[in-house]
Amino acid sequence: MAMTDKQHTYSHDDDSVVVIIGSGAGGGTLANELAQQGIDVVVLEAGKLHTRSDFLADEWASFAQLAWLDKRTTSGSFRLAQDFPNLPAWIVKSVGGTTVHWAGASLRFQPHEFQALTAYGAVADANLLDWPLSYADLAPYYDNAERRMGVTRTHDNKGLPGNNNFKVMHAGAEKLGYSCNTGHMAINSENRNGRAACQQRGFCFQGCKVGAKWSTLYTELPEAIATGHMELRAESHVARIEHDDTGRVTAVVYFDAEGNEQRQKARLVAVAGNSIETPRLLLNSASSRFPDGLANGSGQVGRNYMRHMTGSVYATFDEPVHMYRGTTMAGIISDESRHDPSRGFVGGYEMETLALGLPFMAAFLDPGAWGSRFTGALDQYDHMAGMWLVGEDMPRDTNRITLSDAAKDQYGLPVANVHYDDHPNDVAMREHGYRQGSELYRAVGARDIYEVPPYPSTHNLGTCRMSERAEDGVCNAYGQSHEIANLFISDGSQFTTSAAENPTLTIVSLAIRQAEHIGQLMREGAV
Amino acid sequence: MLTTSLTRRVFLKSSGGVLAGTLALASGPIALLAPSRSWAMSLDHLSSHEGEVLLAMTRQIFPHSELEDAVYALTVKDQDRRAADSETLDLLQQGVAELDAAAGGDWLSLAETERLVQLEAMAGSAFFEQVRGPAIVTLYDNPLAYAHFGYQGSEGNAGYLQRGFNDLTWLPDPPKPAGGYLPNESV
Ligand SMILES: Cc1cc2nc3c(=O)[nH]c(=O)nc-3n(C[C@H](O)[C@H](O)[C@H](O)COP(=O)(O)OP(=O)(O)OC[C@H]3O[C@@H](n4cnc5c(N)ncnc54)[C@H](O)[C@@H]3O)c2cc1C
Ligand code: SF4
């Protein structure tokens, strides 16, 4: 039985419902938080409803099952535009969104990262800004999010056991004087809340069959349905948001599973389609009143697209490692996440264990490469350890999502073009990270070291950013758009800056805070 | 996939060719998976010679000295499937013909170093990319390659918790609490 079989349903003309677009980290959490308050919610999700038993322990087959493969285009000098011109981002189109195949790393931002402009000062060719909220404002919501997601090493959840890949990282960290543990992971280290402990399958990126890893698919969404206040409509791709003469949004138009156009009325609309689709939808909703798209009076919709400074370091050893066994990413070093401009860049980065299966290793190690250096790495696949570098990248006006002039999707809607140029700060940070990662592995006897370029972006941020002043961004500290009171941004698009840490814990915390605020505004009749 | 012998069906095919070989290593991980040492694969669109050139070319692009031809043959089989599209078939056939012409008749007669020189010259061409691009997926995404390179694939489905997720012994075990706890282990 599908979890939606017995759900409460709402009519298309019901204009009292809150419509949420997207069911991932932001949308799924918001839906549950609103439903728990007794607010009626309709979630429209473009992807299919899969269950845990559908998940495949096969990298390419799973990719075909879960990934967002609708067309996108790219431009700019970042290497992805050349390596994967139509796959700028590696994210999910499925109920549960990218929480279906995220790795689970759940780190809080550091207090200074909410004040990037103040802490770093102005950086040339970057559009730094302080968040309109502080660490202290978000701290109680971080607490709440960690509890519900069962984040290890917080609130009495013990740490996950380290796998072979972790052992190598840990040994290298000791040599370099770094501190390293199995991280803050939203993965059960023991049976908890009706979900099993991690079985160390190593297919976190393909969907966690045992449900040890938090995903809205089997936590927030069924909980919301159980309240009788939420209807989930899968395979419902939203095409545009409509508004009335007063400029309030009133309905969303979407294509259902059969490709038929439907219109759902709404009292309030929250957009959580991840940071490429969210601005695309606002831009595609342009009208005579809002010719540049909804909530875009500032011209900031789609700008300041961030994808994190990323890169990976893999190293081979004389003895076997079998890095693919066990949790994909459970080993974290935070020593380089501090802000210390003496390293030649502002902001910092995290070092996190990462393993890919053989098929993805071949695809991502050095896209386009061939010959014996390339194959020499794969010859040592089972003797290889690896880490991912993830750090703060600079928001830039010119790094942005725009609508393609020519390319259209299966519904005839202009697709998103993703433009990104690495900032010199990103480049300096990546080089530092490559160096430190290589040093770490050399310290434990690495044979060969491979500096691996960024994968299609797993973290997509900032395209509808929060700002104190309306002219600097798209929404306020609660994700409410500056221009339209009943239109909210509820995903990572809200991020004013990217910070060094993986974003999802912050997306979830913001969604919890936003839900509280929306409930209050609705009770007051303000929206 | 691998068949025990050249089947009747293979010989009855008129349009396509056949790729065949014998496993080089009698005892490698692949030999354990294979039903017999000799293998054969029918082609629907490409000729035997075209298949052999493509196999040799793929081997040169992604050289693994100890990887069996039987695994490279999977990439040729994949190309043969793609060659159902006539444009792709043209591209592949012309590419092979050019290689042969540059070698004065048969590209396979060249020494490996000479082959490499020619491939380097054509890297990035439509033909080269048509061979390289799909092969990066096909060559490494099959059970034979998994066995050869030491990736356990879907064996992980059941979880490595009891199957060696932390069996590395050549480095010291990280201390607690940094190293974490097994599900049934108390803090
Ligand atoms: C391989 C991988 C590993 C990751 N690991 C980590 C990690 O360890 N830690 C971490 O913090 N983060 C991680 N992330 C990132 C994390 O998954 C995302 O940050 C997070 O899921 C984003 O949440 P979101 O709500 O913005 O979007 P998503 O979770 O992507 O949800 C958006 C949903 O909206 C739907 N949608 C889009 N457009 C429309 C439309 N027009 N109509 C209807 N529906 C639409 C999409 O189908 C999707 O389901 C990882 C990501 C990947 C890909
Ligand atoms: S390693 Fe753990 S979290 Fe990852 S898929 Fe397996 S059981 Fe789930």
Side-chain angles (χ1 to χ4, degrees):
Chain A
M1 194 183 81
M3 70 177 174
T4 46
D5 284 354
K6 284 189 167 167
Q7 69 180 353
H8 188 84
T9 57
Y10 297 92
S11 92
H12 284 121
D13 289 329
D14 188 339
D15 60 6
S16 72
V17 298
V18 169
V19 170
I20 299 176
I21 300 159
S23 62
T29 305
L30 178 65
N32 190 21
E33 284 291 304
L34 292 177
Q36 297 294 338
Q37 297 177 55
I39 295 170
D40 294 322
V41 178
V42 173
V43 173
L44 299 174
E45 165 56 57
K48 290 193 173 131
L49 176 59
H50 291 288
T51 62
R52 279 189 260 159
S53 56
D54 297 341
F55 294 156
L56 302 167
D58 177 329
E59 290 182 316
W60 282 119
S62 170
F63 182 78
Q65 179 186 52
L66 297 173
W68 180 283
L69 299 172
D70 293 12
K71 190 168 179 152
R72 286 173 175 145
T73 58
T74 45
S75 56
S77 57
F78 71 147
R79 185 170 158 177
L80 279 178
Q82 169 200 326
D83 289 345
F84 302 100
N86 294 117
L87 192 73
W90 174 13
I91 45 186
V92 171
K93 178 179 179 180
S94 175
V95 172
T98 315
T99 66
V100 172
H101 77 180
W102 74 314
S106 299
L107 306 178
R108 294 184 181 202
F109 287 7
Q110 304 165 75
H112 73 264
E113 289 172 325
F114 288 93
Q115 297 175 294
L117 179 58
T118 306
Y120 309 158
V123 171
D125 296 323
N127 207 6
L128 283 173
L129 191 68
D130 290 350
W131 289 56
L133 85 174
S134 67
Y135 179 84
D137 292 330
L138 204 55
Y141 302 92
Y142 271 142
D143 265 330
N144 184 330
E146 286 165 348
R147 280 181 212 282
R148 88 173 43 207
M149 296 163 82
V151 177
T152 56
R153 299 175 192 274
T154 73
H155 312 286
D156 297 330
N157 295 311
K158 66 186 184 184
L160 284 163
N163 66 359
N164 292 338
N165 202 18
F166 172 75
K167 287 188 185 181
V168 180
M169 173 182 266
H170 187 272
E174 292 227 302
K175 295 257 159 71
L176 264 62
Y178 284 151
S179 53
C180 173
N181 63 38
T182 57
H184 293 299
M185 306 299 297
I187 296 178
N188 284 351
S189 50
E190 54 196 331
N191 297 349
R192 187 178 172 279
N193 284 356
R195 291 187 289 116
C198 173
Q199 301 301 303
Q200 303 286 339
R201 298 174 58 244
F203 286 103
C204 308
F205 286 0
Q206 284 68 38
C208 182
K209 248 184 190 320
V210 303
K213 181 186 77 178
W214 179 86
S215 167
T216 56
L217 174 63
Y218 40 79
T219 59
E220 310 304 317
L221 294 167
E223 280 173 29
I225 286 172
T227 64
H229 290 287
M230 195 271 262
E231 179 185 354
L232 169 68
R233 292 185 204 150
E235 297 178 79
S236 299
H237 185 109
V238 179
R240 64 179 184 277
I241 303 169
E242 296 183 330
H243 62 82
D244 63 14
D245 294 341
T246 68
R248 291 169 49 85
V249 296
T250 51
V252 305
V253 174
Y254 67 95
F255 291 98
D256 67 16
E258 282 76 46
N260 297 320
E261 198 175 281
Q262 305 287 355
R263 174 176 285 95
Q264 174 65 52
K265 290 194 173 165
R267 171 174 176 178
L268 185 150
V269 174
V271 193
N274 206 322
S275 304
I276 297 176
E277 292 308 309
T278 290
R280 174 186 177 218
L281 181 58
L282 297 181
L283 296 172
N284 267 333
S285 301
S287 63
S288 52
R289 183 181 175 123
F290 300 113
D292 297 324
L294 298 186
N296 198 18
S298 62
Q300 292 288 310
V301 170
R303 292 189 193 270
N304 309 305
Y305 168 67
M306 294 170 285
R307 56 172 313 281
H308 269 147
M309 179 297 294
T310 66
S312 311
V313 181
Y314 290 90
T316 60
F317 297 88
D318 292 338
E319 302 287 333
V321 179
H322 298 287
M323 63 174 175
Y324 56 85
R325 293 184 190 160
T327 335
T328 307
M329 182 180 278
I332 301 186
I333 297 170
S334 294
D335 292 70
E336 299 289 355
S337 70
R338 69 192 190 280
H339 170 57
D340 171 5
S342 73
R343 292 172 300 178
F345 51 88
V346 301
Y349 62 90
E350 304 279 343
M351 307 164 95
E352 305 176 341
T353 55
L354 184 72
L356 297 177
L358 180 71
F360 276 9
M361 200 62 190
F364 294 133
L365 179 68
D366 190 3
W370 59 284
S372 55
R373 161 133 176 116
F374 175 76
T375 51
L378 296 173
D379 282 335
Q380 304 174 72
Y381 174 75
D382 54 359
H383 287 55
M384 189 180 261
M387 72 166 76
W388 195 54
L389 307 165
V390 53
E392 179 153 14
D393 62 339
M394 290 293 108
R396 309 181 80 178
D397 244 18
T398 45
N399 284 348
R400 62 189 289 209
I401 309 302
T402 52
L403 297 178
S404 165
D405 296 331
K408 302 257 194 322
D409 70 4
Q410 62 270 40
Y411 305 111
L413 304 167
V415 308
N417 183 69
V418 179
H419 180 99
Y420 192 92
D421 299 303
D422 287 314
H423 188 279
N425 198 75
D426 309 341
V427 176
M429 189 190 289
R430 183 176 296 121
E431 276 165 11
H432 192 272
Y434 280 153
R435 218 161 38 236
Q436 294 306 110
S438 303
E439 281 297 305
L440 182 146
Y441 287 132
R442 263 191 217 106
V444 272
R447 206 151 52 179
D448 298 324
I449 306 248
Y450 301 89
E451 295 176 354
V452 171
Y455 311 126
S457 314
T458 56
H459 300 172
N460 298 273
L461 307 164
T463 51
C464 296
R465 71 178 184 181
M466 287 185 172
S467 62
E468 190 67 56
R469 302 183 320 158
E471 58 266 41
D472 293 332
V474 176
C475 59
N476 67 17
Y478 294 101
Q480 182 179 33
S481 74
H482 287 304
E483 208 166 50
I484 301 175
N486 66 341
L487 177 63
F488 283 72
I489 312 297
S490 310
D491 57 13
S493 319
Q494 297 172 85
F495 283 23
T496 311
T497 51
S498 76
E501 294 75 18
N502 316 54
T504 306
L505 180 73
T506 302
I507 294 175
V508 171
S509 304
L510 289 172
I512 299 170
R513 183 168 181 269
Q514 180 179 75
E516 199 178 272
H517 187 66
I518 289 177
Q520 198 180 329
L521 292 178
M522 287 178 74
R523 281 191 301 278
E524 290 165 358
V527 289
Chain B
M1 288 283 287
L2 299 171
T3 52
T4 44
S5 61
L6 298 186
T7 62
R8 212 175 126 66
R9 200 178 67 84
V10 169
F11 284 120
L12 288 179
K13 274 204 183 305
S14 50
S15 56
V18 59
L19 273 182
T22 306
L23 295 184
L25 299 171
S27 61
I30 291 179
L32 289 174
L33 287 175
S36 102
R37 282 193 65 187
S38 58
W39 58 270
M41 193 176 272
S42 67
L43 300 174
D44 289 330
H45 307 282
L46 299 163
S47 70
S48 302
H49 176 70
E50 285 159 351
E52 282 162 15
V53 171
L54 290 176
L55 191 152
M57 178 175 167
T58 309
R59 199 176 237 304
Q60 203 92 46
I61 295 176
F62 297 121
H64 296 286
S65 56
E66 292 185 3
L67 185 60
E68 297 284 356
D69 273 345
V71 186
Y72 288 98
L74 297 173
T75 70
V76 179
K77 182 75 186 171
D78 174 57
Q79 292 292 352
D80 186 58
R81 242 177 262 123
R82 292 166 191 269
D85 168 58
S86 61
E87 270 181 40
T88 308
L89 181 61
D90 281 351
L91 184 64
L92 292 170
Q93 288 181 326
Q94 279 175 24
V96 171
E98 275 168 36
L99 286 176
D100 280 341
D106 182 2
W107 196 66
L108 295 171
S109 67
L110 293 184
E112 292 217 348
T113 45
E114 292 173 66
R115 291 182 192 171
L116 189 59
V117 171
Q118 289 194 351
L119 285 183
E120 273 166 355
M122 65 157 39
S125 71
F127 169 60
F128 184 89
E129 282 304 303
Q130 174 64 36
V131 177
R132 187 200 63 80
I136 193 73
V137 175
T138 318
L139 188 60
Y140 302 103
D141 191 20
N142 63 78
L144 300 181
Y146 292 1
H148 175 84
F149 292 103
Y151 173 53
Q152 289 168 279
S154 62
E155 272 179 61
N157 216 354
Y160 293 106
L161 189 58
Q162 319 288 348
R163 296 179 188 80
F165 83 104
N166 62 354
D167 65 358
L168 184 156
T169 51
W170 54 273
L171 287 168
D173 269 337
K176 294 180 191 322
Y181 303 85
L182 294 168
N184 56 6
E185 208 175 357
S186 49
V187 178

